[in-house]
Amino acid sequence: DEDDLGTLVYRRDFDASDPVAQVALVRACDELEAAEMQPALRLAPSSAMCPLRNYSLWATARGEEWPMEPTRFRLLLSDFLAAQPLWRAFVGVEGRADDATGELRIVHVIAAWEMEVQRHAPAQARRTVYNA
């Protein structure tokens, strides 16, 4: 059923700064991009918008190891989002990494791709619709 989008499950105990989660989030983007799609659907080349992969590339270009220690992950995430404001729409955070508690949490991450769609059958002719 294409209208059934499932049920959102929000886990307050999820911690994206955990090194295992860091690796898994980047791997999810890589696997989706490499996945075999149905012949009529495929990802457009170079269309991936994956903020955690870009964060890992940004951090390693600055000499950081990936995955990072959780405190370092949270601190540099603030710097990454400040340096690359485009990603603020893709990564929702709450708290601040530079306050006394260091409680910056990712509350959502959006990854996006463009899809190329190929039609295998001719389009049906449309009838003109008149409104009375």
Side-chain angles (χ1 to χ4, degrees), residues 10 32 44 58 97 100 131:
Y10 179 70
L32 182 59
W58 179 88
N131 291 327

Side-chain angles (χ1 to χ4, degrees), residues 48-109:
M49 298 286 287
C50 185
L52 270 291
R53 180 179 14 192
N54 283 67
Y55 178 41
S56 72
L57 295 171
W58 179 88
T60 56
R62 282 154 183 73
E64 300 291 332
E65 290 192 25
W66 190 267
M68 287 187 256
E69 185 272 323
T71 303
R72 189 79 179 141
F73 175 93
R74 291 188 293 272
L75 184 64
L76 286 183
L77 181 61
S78 294
D79 294 345
F80 170 71
L81 294 175
Q84 308 219 2
L86 160 76
W87 296 113
R88 290 183 195 154
F90 292 80
V91 180
V93 295
E94 63 182 24
R96 292 173 46 114
D98 58 352
D99 69 9
T101 62
E103 292 298 322
L104 178 82
R105 287 180 31 85
I106 292 178
V107 292
H108 76 261
V109 176

Side-chain angles (χ1 to χ4, degrees), residues 19-29:
V20 173
Q22 293 174 45
V23 171
L25 289 166
V26 171
R27 185 178 300 143
C29 289

Side-chain angles (χ1 to χ4, degrees), residues 7-14 94 105-108:
T7 303
L8 177 65
V9 177
Y10 179 70
R11 293 188 51 190
R12 292 210 53 90
D13 63 336
F14 176 74
E94 63 182 24
R105 287 180 31 85
I106 292 178
V107 292
H108 76 261

